[in-house]
């Protein structure tokens, strides 16, 4: 990998807060951010699926990232935000404490993820970036919907 | 690259066109088998193959082009009466079509349609190269000369004089006239048609759905402000929305013909394999059905047709021995009544023997002797829909692959339909499928259980009743009541879902009696919130197949409501539905709590 001196490639990420850590998702994977909406609970779904919301007539599943990452759970309040993410196949929402900003991160400061960081498993992480005074965990949203689990979800009978 | 983009566009068009042609060819070849002297048909088949040859060559699908070319040569011989249609030729042409199907599938998966066609080509060439055997009887030769004469005469006369030509072979003339008329009619119809990507229609449908929600809000606001002008306007919008919804619904409807066209081929191939003789009749194929429903219904129908052939229709010897005609009859008929489409699959075979079913059910341990002894004949027959039930004496590759009638029933249930069986021993069996006209809009009953609302498809609601608590009896762990001399199982939603229900203090209990096929159960509810037409929203890819929920809908206030899957609730009252435990990787919690 030859990094050209003149133009350091940058990655634009949407930064959000969960617990006391900062996470980043690639901006192209973020569809929109909505205020906390009424979440309809569904039976017979994985424990980390909070339910579904009505997004302008579309039914979007919402995931509690705390449960997904195995962090301690908290009461979900109106203060939360829902980050609507999209992959090639589907749209889904994740509950986050707060959205802070869109940040440009030079590609060359991104490091490989450790096995475990801030209590979450490295398998959900693409990399970490240490910027001024804080650590940013870059998430791999495909992994959050990991293949194995996608299959499992398909055949919950 | 521009070029690439264009090519992919062409590919898409090609696949669509090729699929249409293949479907048509399948149908026409089977017709030709029955009417080998129909030269109009031969011409039409020739033209279709010719089109395939052209378009596949254009897109460099050389293998397909080559095969089509050879098939065309064979058809050319038939067209010019150098050869005559027989079973062998039909078989080889069908074989060619099957290869082309495989090629199209490959192209759909971004391949270039490579298939090994040496075998087929060899056969076609052998047939084509064969010198015309002197088998054509004198009759055919005479016919041929008459035909050519007629052709000549017709060329020389104009339309008016044709009627005056007195020739015995008048069929020829009428068919020419027919073709002329049909051709004109076709042109008229086709000029009104355009192709639209179904996804575009689905988008419109979604927008209309949102419009409905918006309209409902507008009406709410209107009643709040009590403004004459506003109300007038919102009523106007409301009417328009309803009409728009209707128009879009109609757009999504397609005739069942597309589905039914595939069946004659299935029947032909399978009856040959089983050495059974069978006539296959199709009717009502112009009945229209929502596109999604008609796509999903193909598999279950094919399964039932295969079953009818495999288990229903007897061998010719067996039929003769029982005083029947050697050739069996299978028919499929569709008709629309109210908001439903009924499809009947009927055979005149041996019917279903309830004693055999009873024996099998015991052997397989589906039911206990005690239970079976208390069952009527009809209930026993209905055990064929039980999971894991297959009466095929040996496992054939036709039916009995573990894909039984239970899968048929479930798939039909998923479409909001039901399937019933009527059988008479020695006379035959009819499977009757009832489907909703459309999946997108459904009348439902909204119910309240504890503090939540749910919707039940109105098709599955038999009745609602209030009963006294003391009417409920517990027999071998199951709660039931006696209703009109019959027992009815009582089901609680908390036994279907992992939810909590509040204690019910009152003496009276509300029941919704839900029916699915022949089964009936009483679901305990707290309140009845009325009927409503709802626009169904799928749960999407990530959560598809949530057990017990057949879909969701958005109510006028923007809230989401779940549509309960009646089949699961009904089965819950009878047996235990397995819930899969899902394993997740244990993710260490960092000690923070």
């Amino acid at each position: 990998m030859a990094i050209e001196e003149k133009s350091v490639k940058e990655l634009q990420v949407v930064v959000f807060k969960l617990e006391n850590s900062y996470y980043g998702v690639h901006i192209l994977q973020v569809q929109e951010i909505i205020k906390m909406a009424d979440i309809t609970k569904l039976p017979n779904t994985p424990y980390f699926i909070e339910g579904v919301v009505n997004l302008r007539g579309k039914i979007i599943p919402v995931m509690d990232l705390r449960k997904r990452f195995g962090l301690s759970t908290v009461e979900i309040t109106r203060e939360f935000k829902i980050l609507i993410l999209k992959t090639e196949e589907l749209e889904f929402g994740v509950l986050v404490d707060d959205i802070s900003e869109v940040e440009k991160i030079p590609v060359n400061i991104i490091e490989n993820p450790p096995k475990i960081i801030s209590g979450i498993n490295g398998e959900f992480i693409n990399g970490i970036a240490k910027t001024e005074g804080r650590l940013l965990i870059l998430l791999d949203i495909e992994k959050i919907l990991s293949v194995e689990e996608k299959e499992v979800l398909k055949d919950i009978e | 690259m521009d070029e690439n983009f264009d090519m992919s566009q062409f590919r898409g068009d090609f696949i669509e066109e090729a699929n249409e042609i293949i479907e048509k060819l399948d149908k026409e070849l089977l017709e030709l088998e029955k009417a080998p002297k129909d030269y109009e048909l031969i011409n039409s088949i020739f033209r279709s193959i010719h089109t395939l040859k052209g378009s596949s060559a254009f897109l460099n699908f050389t293998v397909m082009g080559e095969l089509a070319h050879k098939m065309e040569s064979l058809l050319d011989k038939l067209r010019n009466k150098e050869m005559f249609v027989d079973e062998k030729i039909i078989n080889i042409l069908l074989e060619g079509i099957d290869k082309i199907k495989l090629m199209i599938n490959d192209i759909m998966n971004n391949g270039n349609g490579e298939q090994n066609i040496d075998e087929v080509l060899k056969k076609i060439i052998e047939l084509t190269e064969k010198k015309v055997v002197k088998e054509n009887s004198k009759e055919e030769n005479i016919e041929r000369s008459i035909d050519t004469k007629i052709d000549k005469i017709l060329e020389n006369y104009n339309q008016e004089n044709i009627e005056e030509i007195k020739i015995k072979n008048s069929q020829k003339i009428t068919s020419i006239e027919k073709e002329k008329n049909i051709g004109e009619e076709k042109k008229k119809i086709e000029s009104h048609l355009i192709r639209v990507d179904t996804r575009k229609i689905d988008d419109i449908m979604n927008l209309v759905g949102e419009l409905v929600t918006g309209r409902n809000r507008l009406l709410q606001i209107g009643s709040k402000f009590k403004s004459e002008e506003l109300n007038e306007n919102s009523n106007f919008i409301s009417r328009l929305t309803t009409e728009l919804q209707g128009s879009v619904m109609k757009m999504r409807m397609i005739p069942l013909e597309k589905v039914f066209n595939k069946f004659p081929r299935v029947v032909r191939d399978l009856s040959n394999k089983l050495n059974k003789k069978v006539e296959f009749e199709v009717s009502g194929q112009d009945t229209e059905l929502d596109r999604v429903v008609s796509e999903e219904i193909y598999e279950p129908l094919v399964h039932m047709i295969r079953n009818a052939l495999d288990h229903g229709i007897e061998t010719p010897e067996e039929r003769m021995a029982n005083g029947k005609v050697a050739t069996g009859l299978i028919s499929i008929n569709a008709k629309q009544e109210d908001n439903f489409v009924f499809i009947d699959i009927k055979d005149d075979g041996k019917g279903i023997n309830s004693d055999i079913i009873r024996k099998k059910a015991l052997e397989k341990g589906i039911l206990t002797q005690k239970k079976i002894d208390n069952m009527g004949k009809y209930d026993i027959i209905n055990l064929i829909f039980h999971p894991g039930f297959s009466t095929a004496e040996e496992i054939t590759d036709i039916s009995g692959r573990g894909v039984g009638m239970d899968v048929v029933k479930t798939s039909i249930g998923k479409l909001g339909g039901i399937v019933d069986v009527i059988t008479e021993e020695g006379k035959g069996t009819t499977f009757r499928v009832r489907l909703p006209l459309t999946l997108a809009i459904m009348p439902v009953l909204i119910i309240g259980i504890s503090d939540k609302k749910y919707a039940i498809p109105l098709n599955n609601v038999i009745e609602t009743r209030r009963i006294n608590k003391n009417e409920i009896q517990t027999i071998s762990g199951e709660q039931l009541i006696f209703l009109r001399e019959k027992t009815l199982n009582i089901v609680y939603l908390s036994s279907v879902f992992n939810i909590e229900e509040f204690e019910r203090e009152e003496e009276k209990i509300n029941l919704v009696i839900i029916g699915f096929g022949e089964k009936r159960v009483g679901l305990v509810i707290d309140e009845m919130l009325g009927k409503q037409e709802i626009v169904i929203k799928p749960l999407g890819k990530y959560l598809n197949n949530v057990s017990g929920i057949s879909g969701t809908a958005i109510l006028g206030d923007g809230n989401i409501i779940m549509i309960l899957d009646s089949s699961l609730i009904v089965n819950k009252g009878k047996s235990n539905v397995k819930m899969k435990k899902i394993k997740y990787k244990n993710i260490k919690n960092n000690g923070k709590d």
Side-chain angles (χ1 to χ4, degrees):
Chain A
M1 283 244 299
I3 299 164
E4 286 177 37
E5 294 290 309
K6 281 173 193 168
S7 62
V8 175
K9 286 217 175 88
E10 286 177 328
L11 203 61
Q12 286 207 7
V13 294
V14 174
V15 177
F16 65 86
K17 212 176 146 190
L18 200 68
E19 299 273 277
N20 302 316
S21 312
Y22 289 92
Y23 296 84
V25 181
H26 195 292
I27 194 160
L28 290 177
Q29 296 178 312
V30 176
Q31 186 175 300
E32 61 192 286
I33 297 150
I34 57 173
K35 285 202 186 87
M36 189 63 193
D38 285 331
I39 298 181
T40 307
K41 285 199 180 305
L42 290 180
N44 301 348
T45 48
Y47 68 99
F48 54 77
I49 297 292
E50 197 53 36
V52 286
V53 289
N54 168 12
L55 180 69
R56 294 186 305 278
K58 257 194 203 159
I59 305 280
I60 308 279
V62 176
M63 189 187 285
D64 184 344
L65 275 185
R66 281 189 163 76
K67 287 182 182 164
R68 187 73 183 96
F69 294 157
L71 305 169
S72 56
T73 51
V74 293
E75 183 76 27
I76 288 163
T77 65
R78 285 271 148 201
E79 308 305 307
F80 280 67
K81 302 273 187 304
I82 302 175
L83 189 60
I84 306 287
L85 301 171
K86 58 171 193 273
T87 69
E88 261 180 42
E89 286 195 321
L90 41 91
E91 289 167 40
F92 70 107
V94 292
L95 287 173
V96 301
D97 298 4
D98 206 0
I99 309 277
S100 50
E101 70 276 292
V102 176
E103 194 174 334
K104 287 181 181 164
I105 297 172
V107 172
N108 57 0
I109 70 158
I110 298 177
E111 300 168 26
N112 283 336
K115 274 253 184 305
I116 276 190
I117 182 151
S118 315
I120 86 162
N121 191 320
E123 71 172 329
F124 300 127
I125 304 173
N126 263 342
I128 50 171
K130 294 190 178 90
T131 56
E132 287 157 45
R134 75 173 178 199
L135 177 74
L136 191 58
I137 301 166
L138 303 173
L139 293 175
D140 180 340
I141 73 166
E142 288 284 352
K143 286 269 175 56
I144 291 172
L145 298 167
S146 73
V147 177
E148 173 200 356
E149 237 132 45
K150 268 195 229 172
E151 291 308 311
V152 169
L153 283 175
K154 265 183 197 157
D155 54 31
I156 294 178
E157 285 292 345
Chain B
M1 290 285 290
D2 257 10
E3 197 183 289
N4 279 342
F5 170 73
D6 273 351
M7 267 333 213
S8 72
Q9 169 73 36
F10 281 135
R11 270 177 94 104
D13 289 350
F14 170 79
I15 288 166
E16 192 159 330
E17 181 192 47
N19 273 326
E20 260 176 36
I21 289 177
I22 289 291
E23 207 174 290
K24 189 166 151 226
L25 279 172
D26 247 347
K27 188 171 137 229
E28 289 186 336
L29 281 169
L30 297 188
E31 282 171 14
L32 187 64
E33 192 171 31
K34 290 200 179 87
K37 297 233 170 34
D38 188 340
Y39 282 92
E40 301 305 327
L41 209 50
I42 294 177
N43 277 328
S44 165
I45 293 169
F46 178 89
R47 280 193 300 267
S48 299
I49 291 279
H50 182 79
T51 310
L52 263 183
K53 175 177 134 181
S55 42
S56 57
F58 174 69
L59 289 170
N60 289 330
F61 302 134
T62 40
V63 186
M64 191 188 295
E66 191 183 359
L67 178 57
H69 175 68
K70 288 284 186 293
M71 286 167 81
E72 186 189 66
S73 311
L74 176 57
L75 283 158
D76 197 39
K77 295 236 155 140
L78 295 173
R79 202 169 59 144
N80 298 328
K81 306 199 173 71
E82 291 169 38
M83 290 169 72
F84 293 95
V85 175
D86 59 17
E87 200 183 341
K88 215 171 171 175
I89 289 178
I90 297 279
N91 278 335
I92 188 68
L93 287 171
L94 285 173
E95 205 174 310
I97 299 286
D98 286 345
K99 277 282 179 209
I100 293 175
K101 278 183 198 164
L102 292 173
M103 292 172 188
I104 296 171
N105 275 337
D106 184 50
I107 292 165
M108 275 167 139
N109 297 325
N110 287 325
N112 54 358
E114 298 275 343
Q115 287 289 332
N116 183 352
I117 54 168
D118 301 347
E119 195 78 12
V120 191
L121 280 187
K122 213 172 85 190
K123 285 187 198 165
I124 297 178
I125 292 164
E126 266 173 26
L127 269 176
T128 322
E129 302 298 306
K130 244 198 319 195
K131 284 282 163 281
V132 184
V133 198
K134 282 284 180 213
E135 266 178 27
N136 9 345
S137 55
K138 266 188 187 166
E139 232 176 285
E140 276 168 341
N141 282 329
I142 290 169
E143 207 177 299
R144 230 169 84 194
S145 62
I146 288 180
D147 278 353
T148 39
K149 269 189 190 139
I150 292 174
D151 283 338
K152 275 214 178 100
I153 293 169
L154 289 184
E155 273 167 35
N156 299 338
Y157 280 81
N158 57 19
Q159 200 56 27
E160 281 162 68
N161 293 340
I162 285 184
E163 260 100 305
E164 293 169 23
I165 304 173
K166 298 271 193 293
I167 301 172
K168 276 184 190 161
N169 196 342
S170 58
Q171 235 182 335
K172 175 88 188 172
I173 296 170
T174 43
S175 72
I176 287 181
E177 280 190 359
K178 247 199 214 146
E179 202 189 16
K180 249 190 125 80
N181 290 338
I182 288 172
E184 276 169 20
E185 223 165 273
K186 249 199 161 151
K187 261 197 197 118
K188 265 184 211 154
I189 293 171
E190 272 174 10
S191 62
H192 289 299
L193 296 180
I194 55 163
R195 271 174 201 258
V196 179
D197 188 335
T198 46
R199 280 171 299 190
K200 287 184 185 165
I201 296 181
D202 291 351
D203 284 347
I204 298 178
M205 195 68 216
N206 285 336
L207 288 170
V208 169
E210 282 183 55
L211 199 58
V212 172
T213 313
R215 167 197 71 185
N216 295 349
R217 248 179 243 159
L218 199 60
L219 291 172
Q220 275 172 4
I221 296 167
S223 61
K224 201 162 89 183
F225 286 106
K226 296 195 173 51
S227 143
E228 186 84 11
E229 218 176 343
L230 179 63
N231 276 337
E232 234 170 69
N233 243 310
S234 43
N235 283 333
F236 172 66
I237 301 262
S238 166
R239 259 205 326 276
L240 276 184
T241 312
T242 310
E243 276 178 36
L244 187 59
Q245 210 169 20
S247 307
V248 179
M249 290 304 325
K250 284 200 194 89
M251 244 190 254
R252 292 163 48 107
M253 308 280 270
I254 55 168
L256 271 164
E257 193 175 7
K258 261 192 126 53
V259 181
F260 284 9
N261 275 351
K262 296 177 180 153
F263 296 147
R265 181 69 199 279
V266 173
V267 173
R268 176 187 182 274
D269 291 356
L270 190 55
S271 55
N272 286 346
K273 206 170 182 173
L274 296 167
N275 292 321
K276 290 179 178 177
K277 283 204 169 105
V278 67
E279 271 290 316
F280 182 61
E281 281 179 1
V282 177
S283 54
Q285 61 268 46
D286 50 358
T287 310
E288 291 199 337
L289 199 57
D290 188 281
R291 183 180 59 85
V292 181
V293 184
S294 62
E295 273 169 13
E296 297 286 328
I297 198 65
Y298 170 73
E299 288 290 338
L301 289 180
V302 157
H303 192 84
M304 284 187 272
I305 289 171
R306 285 165 165 261
N307 261 341
L309 255 168
D310 201 16
H311 305 308
I313 302 289
E314 317 88 330
T315 56
E317 301 76 40
E318 213 177 317
R319 290 179 68 92
M320 305 278 265
N322 291 327
K324 289 181 171 179
V325 280
T327 308
L329 177 70
I330 295 178
S331 64
I332 183 163
N333 164 280
K335 63 173 189 286
Q336 187 192 330
E337 275 176 25
D338 303 334
N339 276 332
F340 294 107
V341 168
F342 291 90
I343 302 174
D344 286 355
I345 297 106
K346 196 172 169 182
D347 71 63
D348 69 346
K350 56 174 175 263
I352 302 173
N353 179 325
S354 58
D355 293 337
I356 294 179
I357 306 279
R358 185 179 286 125
K359 204 175 98 208
K360 284 272 168 193
L362 281 173
E363 271 173 29
K364 290 184 185 283
I366 289 174
L367 290 173
T368 57
Q369 183 76 48
K370 199 169 129 194
K371 269 207 157 152
I372 285 199
D373 290 343
N374 289 331
M375 279 169 91
K377 193 169 169 180
Y378 197 83
D379 287 334
I380 289 186
I381 299 280
N382 267 280
L383 285 175
I384 57 169
F385 294 113
H386 199 288
F389 193 95
S390 176
T391 55
E393 293 297 328
E394 52 191 275
I395 291 189
T396 58
D397 63 344
I398 292 141
S399 39
R401 269 174 309 185
V403 185
M405 286 305 294
D406 64 310
V407 176
V408 168
K409 188 175 184 139
T410 322
S411 333
I412 290 170
K414 277 212 170 104
L415 297 171
I418 53 176
V419 56
D420 258 333
V421 56
I422 305 137
T423 186
E424 196 177 336
E425 232 169 299
K427 292 269 172 65
T429 305
T430 302
F431 282 99
R432 165 161 283 201
V433 180
R434 189 190 79 176
L435 293 164
L437 213 46
T438 168
L439 271 187
I441 293 183
M442 190 198 270
V444 293
L445 179 70
I446 309 237
I447 53 164
I449 294 176
S450 296
D451 56 346
K452 293 218 166 42
K453 290 182 192 174
Y454 302 91
I456 305 175
L458 213 52
N459 325 342
N460 302 113
V461 176
I462 310 291
E463 57 178 318
T464 54
R465 287 187 84 81
R466 273 175 80 83
I467 57 160
N468 284 324
K469 254 189 187 163
N470 55 18
E471 284 179 58
I472 300 178
Q473 312 185 8
T474 307
I475 295 172
S476 58
E478 287 185 3
Q479 292 196 8
L480 36 90
I481 57 168
F482 280 93
L483 185 68
R484 294 189 277 274
E485 321 280 295
K486 275 187 172 172
T487 58
L488 178 80
N489 282 61
I490 300 291
V491 182
Y492 296 87
L493 198 61
S494 50
S495 65
V496 184
F497 291 149
N498 190 6
I499 57 161
E500 295 192 350
E501 285 183 65
F502 302 155
E503 281 288 317
R504 295 179 177 85
E505 306 282 328
E506 292 160 37
E507 268 315 296
K508 291 266 186 199
I509 285 186
N510 289 318
L511 287 184
V512 174
I513 296 179
I514 297 177
F516 195 87
E518 272 311 294
K519 287 183 184 164
R520 304 274 180 273
V521 298
L523 178 72
V524 177
I525 62 162
D526 294 310
E527 32 176 358
M528 198 85 65
L529 300 160
K531 292 176 196 169
Q532 206 173 349
E533 289 231 325
I534 53 170
V535 181
I536 299 172
K537 301 267 176 180
L539 270 170
K541 274 190 181 153
Y542 187 53
L543 290 179
N544 67 357
N545 289 343
V546 174
S547 163
I549 298 174
S550 57
T552 55
I554 295 170
L555 297 175
D557 56 7
N559 282 324
I560 299 172
I561 189 166
M562 281 177 256
I563 304 163
L564 300 178
D565 177 354
S566 316
S567 74
L568 190 86
I569 293 172
V570 168
N571 286 317
K572 204 66 192 187
K574 298 272 175 183
S575 63
N576 278 324
V577 178
K578 281 198 292 274
M579 288 274 298
K580 264 196 196 159
K581 279 272 181 289
I582 310 162
K583 276 192 201 144
Y584 290 100
K585 288 181 190 150
N586 231 340
I587 295 159
K588 267 224 187 92
N589 195 338
N590 222 19
K592 280 186 288 188
D593 267 319

